[in-house]
Amino acid sequence: MNTRGSTAVPLGFTRRIDWGVVLVEGRALIGLLLIMAIFTILSPNFLQPESLILMTRHVAMNALLALGMLLVVLNGGIDLSVGSTVGLTGVVAGLMLRGVSIPGTGITAYAPIWVIVIVAMAVGALIGWVNGVVITRWRVAPFIATLGMLNVARGIALLGTNGVPITDELKGNPNLGNTGFIPLLAGAPLGIPMPVWVMVVFAIIFSLLVNRTPFGRWLYAMGGNARAAGLSGVPTRRTETWIYVISGLCAAAVGLLLTADLPAATPRAGDSYELNAIAAVVIGGASLAGGRGTVRGTVIGAFLVGFLVDGLVLIGLSVFWQQIIKGAVIILAVALDQLQQSLQARSAMKRAAQASLAGRETPAPAK
């Protein structure tokens, strides 16, 4: 018998599904379905169309932050400044809607809404760029650099408003070509809130970016082994800087959408949003060590976190219990990430041992 090109299967060896790996890797979707089932039982209003639309609007804000955070985590970093960036960009937009006084002229200039949007997005990009430069050029750890920026951005927002929210100015002045935030960013085309549309567009863009471009391949390579990626020709410094710029842009987009949704420019807006974003990314299957994560999983993780928070509100649970449960979910997410890495390492060792055994038992080619 000619056995050339064939591989014998060891006696008694059959392919079996490792359900532990399946359950851990699919934790985001399983958790989301479980949460929806529990809150549907506890609150009849949970699956009502009005409730779903409102919850999805809230999810969209966190999903946008989580998509930017995903790129940072894929690289093995962290961005704690996104929450304060949300507040600062909203304040910048609110102050521009109030009008900018030109020194020495007594004239107050009012910018059109598109200029305000561009400036606010530029502020988010600038914060991300500073984070990237501090991390890549000054060799400051991402945790420390972005923690410092969290306080800097929050302090600037408080200084600019004296800690007082901006409200009436958000309506704008139509006579000056400034129609405010409400018509542009707080609308609902086809009955779907604008933040949801923005989330869908960003998710598509990020999916293409991560899966279809060299930039995406560089992210995974740098997260797996940054030194090896650099030696293979990946522009590690420039790529890492752009990662934080994109994260800042996502935070600025959330700042604009949140300011329109309230409607108020509040310097404390976005407080603790970074924790929700990190939770969504990790629950969605990304590894805090870098090199593993998907856009799909991140969006599902954002839905899980958002539905959990809003579900707790619907059933009337105390705010204090909500904080405890959110913290426990974050701890559980990180613990499951570590468990996933252990299970994957164990599965890899099993496959290597089985392949070695199969190689020893493969008959020699017939002469």
Side-chain angles (χ1 to χ4, degrees), residues 16-295:
R16 292 183 298 176
I17 298 175
D18 191 333
W19 288 106
V21 175
V22 171
L23 290 175
V24 172
E25 292 185 352
R27 61 185 179 271
L29 183 58
I30 295 171
L32 176 60
L33 295 175
L34 183 61
I35 283 175
M36 293 179 68
I38 292 173
F39 284 121
T40 299
I41 295 172
L42 296 177
S43 174
N45 297 323
F46 184 77
L47 286 183
Q48 294 298 317
E50 296 81 6
S51 298
L52 287 176
I53 290 174
L54 180 61
M55 289 189 295
T56 305
R57 178 196 291 267
H58 296 161
V59 166
M61 305 286 190
N62 188 34
L64 288 172
L65 278 184
L67 288 172
M69 187 70 70
L70 172 64
L71 302 189
V72 177
V73 171
L74 283 176
N75 186 57
I78 200 76
D79 189 354
L80 300 178
S81 66
V82 292
S84 57
T85 303
V86 169
L88 178 56
T89 51
V91 165
V92 168
L95 291 174
M96 292 185 69
L97 283 166
R98 176 183 286 175
V100 180
S101 298
I102 301 176
T105 64
I107 298 174
T108 301
Y110 295 89
I113 190 65
W114 63 269
V115 172
I116 295 173
V117 170
I118 290 175
V119 171
M121 295 295 288
V123 169
L126 176 63
I127 292 173
W129 178 80
V130 172
N131 282 334
V133 169
V134 170
I135 292 167
T136 60
R137 302 290 179 178
W138 297 0
R139 301 298 183 184
V140 177
F143 181 89
I144 300 300
T146 58
L147 179 63
M149 184 56 72
L150 179 154
N151 290 285
V152 170
R154 186 72 72 197
I156 294 173
L158 290 168
L159 280 174
T161 61
N162 290 321
V164 179
I166 301 171
T167 55
D168 293 338
E169 290 82 358
L170 296 182
K171 298 176 181 178
N173 190 335
N175 296 326
L176 298 172
N178 183 345
T179 55
F181 279 112
I182 308 306
L184 179 65
L185 299 179
L190 302 178
I192 300 175
M194 183 60 73
V196 179
W197 287 110
V198 177
M199 176 189 69
V200 171
V201 171
F202 271 55
I204 293 172
I205 293 173
F206 273 68
S207 182
L208 294 174
L209 180 67
V210 169
N211 299 312
R212 303 284 184 176
T213 66
F215 184 83
R217 292 191 291 272
W218 295 344
L219 281 181
Y220 286 104
M222 290 169 60
N225 190 324
R227 181 173 177 80
L231 293 174
S232 65
V234 175
T236 54
R237 285 188 177 181
R238 185 169 73 247
T239 301
E240 190 168 7
T241 301
W242 271 107
I243 290 168
Y244 286 94
V245 170
I246 294 171
S247 179
L249 286 170
C250 290
V254 174
L256 291 171
L257 291 168
L258 184 62
T259 301
D261 191 52
L262 288 176
T266 306
R268 287 287 182 183
D271 192 18
S272 78
Y273 275 30
E274 61 277 355
L275 300 181
N276 290 339
I278 294 170
V281 171
V282 176
I283 290 172
S287 170
L288 290 175
R292 189 184 75 238
T294 63
V295 172

Side-chain angles (χ1 to χ4, degrees), residues 270-337:
D271 192 18
S272 78
Y273 275 30
E274 61 277 355
L275 300 181
N276 290 339
I278 294 170
V281 171
V282 176
I283 290 172
S287 170
L288 290 175
R292 189 184 75 238
T294 63
V295 172
R296 179 182 64 256
T298 298
V299 173
I300 294 174
F303 270 90
L304 189 153
V305 173
F307 279 17
L308 173 64
V309 173
D310 286 349
L312 295 174
V313 173
L314 278 176
I315 64 175
L317 195 66
S318 166
V319 175
F320 307 121
W321 276 108
Q322 293 178 33
Q323 291 287 349
I324 293 171
I325 293 174
K326 283 173 60 178
V329 167
I330 293 174
I331 295 172
L332 178 63
V334 176
L336 287 175
D337 172 62

